[in-house]
Amino acid sequence: VKSDHPHGVTTAALVWATAGIGVLCGVGLIAFAFVAALLMALFLFILRKLNVSERLEKESKALKGKK
């Protein structure tokens, strides 16, 4: 089913963030990498609890029903 909002954006952002954390480790900034990893995990946890994707899908279906 195609929808009007993009899918996989969180996954793509996670890949980029993971690469950034890897770069931080590679240049020796382990403390910054650790903080970045914790922040990323916290952000993903909050997004999951807010059910953002489910809300967008419901709104998209509701808008399609009004047309």
Side-chain angles (χ1 to χ4, degrees):
V1 175
K2 294 214 175 203
S3 65
D4 295 335
H5 60 29
H7 289 283
V9 175
T10 305
T11 304
L14 182 60
V15 169
W16 279 100
T18 303
I21 291 170
V23 169
L24 287 172
C25 289
V27 296
L29 299 173
I30 304 298
F32 286 112
F34 182 74
V35 170
L38 286 178
L39 289 173
M40 186 173 61
L42 178 65
F43 180 69
L44 290 172
F45 177 77
I46 290 169
L47 282 179
R48 180 169 288 191
K49 289 296 181 187
L50 292 176
N51 293 324
V52 172
S53 61
E54 290 177 15
R55 289 181 186 177
L56 286 174
E57 189 173 325
K58 286 179 185 177
E59 288 178 17
S60 177
K61 286 180 182 179
L63 288 174
K64 286 181 182 178
K66 290 181 180 181
K67 289 183 181 179

